[in-house]
Amino acid sequence: MILDHLHNAHLYEALHPLFAKGFEYLKNTDFSKVENGKYEVQGEDLFAIVNSYETEPREVRKWEAHRKYIDVQYMVSGTEEMAVAPLHSMKTIQPYQAENDYALFEGPGETITVPTGFFAIFFPTDVHMPNLIHREACQVKKVVLKVRVEEAVLLKLCFASNNKYKLEEIRRVLNDPRIALYTLEEMGIREDLPENGNTLEYNAWQKANHVYSMHGLACFADDTGLEVEALDGAPGVYSARYAGEQATSSMNVEKLLKAMQGKTNRNARFRTVISLIMNATEYRFEGIVNGTIAEKPKGEGGFGYDPIFIPEGETRTFAEMSLDEKNKMSHRAKAIEKMVRFLKEDYLQNA
Ligand code: IMP
């Protein structure tokens, strides 16, 4: 947060490429002749909202913060108080809405007085509550200059895989500009990752831990198995190489269908374990989808065992569904959603 008089605005021009243009606009405009409304200075990158109103008591106001825009709040006439608090000290009471570019908060904060001719700059990490009464309610005129910022990337995460299909699935669920996702290839990691455990948990940890400890990157890895009840949980952790080290998906499917011949119990489940390692701590997430093994392969989509897995409540196999349909119910999507929820609600909230 910055508080200063417009005369000193030049001191802050280096902070953003559009500040100079914005301050010039504030200095060269006679706002006494400007009606309330929105005025573009440089399209949607830099615009002003001119407003006249009566200052209000705290009880009727809300704490807010933006992500896409910095606010430069300039008092044309009158004096008001504005409360301010750092983002990490506040509790979110209404999650961020991209359409309105704000989230709402509650918590403690400090109050500043902003008289005529002064401006306050609120960056995306400054939760603020403007328009407050100073001594007694009065009429004020204010310009809020909105200055677009690139949304800050708060977390760089490596996904320990080169599987493009999985990456696409994960990007669709993640969909948060604050988290930048990189593949092994993008991080220049070319070696094969170790994966020789007897459990999904160990394998996921082993891959993520390799990237974390050898390359120093926050990283997550997944491991998935198809667990078939009538086969005592096989192929499980060995799903990828069920029909041998060099097995293709169709060879695995063929072997499984053979093993299932004559079995009446066709119950099975896909189970995904994600191991996320950051700041020397492992976080684990699990996603399960129950279903049955089809009599024969059906559908062209997906990969692996998709053509023979019918999720509960469905008549089609995963391979007969679109990626979006599968994403809504898949084991990996469930595990990813848990990880994303953790990152957004627990981790980034305090970043
Ligand atoms: P991974 O641990 O994700 O590489 O999965 C091990 C094996 O499980 C893969 O080689 C596939 O055969 C199978 N598998 C994993 N996820 C899926 C899925 O979403 N659909 C079908 N098969 C899968």
Side-chain angles (χ1 to χ4, degrees), residues 13-22 42 147-148:
E13 285 177 0
L15 294 177
H16 190 286
L18 288 174
F19 273 2
K21 191 164 185 174
Q42 186 174 306
V147 186
R148 174 124 68 183

Side-chain angles (χ1 to χ4, degrees), residues 13-203:
E13 285 177 0
L15 294 177
H16 190 286
L18 288 174
F19 273 2
K21 191 164 185 174
F23 290 135
E24 191 185 287
Y25 168 78
L26 292 180
K27 280 179 185 158
N28 296 337
T29 308
D30 179 0
F31 288 106
S32 64
K33 299 199 172 78
V34 178
E35 304 260 304
N36 289 350
K38 176 179 168 182
Y39 299 89
E40 288 188 1
V41 183
Q42 186 174 306
E44 287 299 305
D45 287 340
L46 181 66
F47 60 89
I49 297 166
V50 178
N51 204 359
S52 306
Y53 54 89
E54 185 163 312
T55 51
E56 293 180 312
R58 243 169 202 265
E59 303 75 69
V60 302
R61 302 288 305 163
K62 293 195 167 84
W63 285 104
E64 62 182 51
H66 315 292
R67 284 196 194 154
K68 292 184 193 157
Y69 289 92
I70 298 168
D71 270 11
V72 180
Q73 303 213 0
Y74 169 63
M75 299 304 297
V76 176
S77 62
T79 295
E80 73 176 37
E81 294 193 348
M82 300 182 193
V84 62
L87 188 60
H88 64 81
S89 69
M90 302 295 274
K91 184 165 167 251
T92 309
I93 53 166
Q94 186 183 300
Y96 178 74
Q97 293 175 338
E99 321 83 77
N100 312 317
D101 188 34
Y102 72 68
L104 298 179
F105 302 83
E106 64 184 15
E110 300 301 323
T111 306
I112 55 171
T113 302
V114 191
T116 304
F118 278 71
F119 64 86
I121 304 180
F122 298 112
F123 294 94
T125 47
D126 296 322
V127 183
H128 50 283
M129 188 201 283
N131 301 31
L132 302 176
I133 291 172
H134 174 65
R135 294 197 183 127
E136 55 191 35
C138 72
Q139 196 64 25
V140 301
K141 187 165 194 175
K142 185 166 81 179
V143 182
V144 178
L145 200 59
K146 303 291 271 186
V147 186
R148 174 124 68 183
V149 276
E150 288 296 324
E151 278 182 82
V153 170
L154 297 178
L155 178 63
K156 289 184 179 171
L157 257 190
C158 178
F159 173 41
S161 169
N162 279 322
N163 182 325
K164 298 225 156 59
Y165 178 92
K166 284 186 189 174
L167 187 71
E168 175 61 16
E169 202 177 340
I170 291 172
R171 285 219 158 106
R172 284 187 196 205
V173 182
L174 191 60
N175 191 23
D176 188 319
R178 293 172 303 165
I179 304 172
L181 190 62
Y182 299 94
T183 59
L184 292 173
E185 203 179 345
E186 284 167 334
M187 298 314 288
I189 300 172
R190 313 235 176 272
E191 71 269 22
D192 283 339
L193 303 185
E195 186 179 0
N196 48 31
N198 295 326
T199 63
L200 299 175
E201 284 76 7
Y202 185 85
N203 281 351

Side-chain angles (χ1 to χ4, degrees), residues 166 195 222-224 239-240 270 303-306 326 331-332:
K166 284 186 189 174
E195 186 179 0
D222 71 321
D223 202 27
T224 297
S239 294
F270 270 117
F303 71 106
Y305 296 90
D306 279 348
K326 182 182 166 189
H331 42 297
R332 200 169 12 262

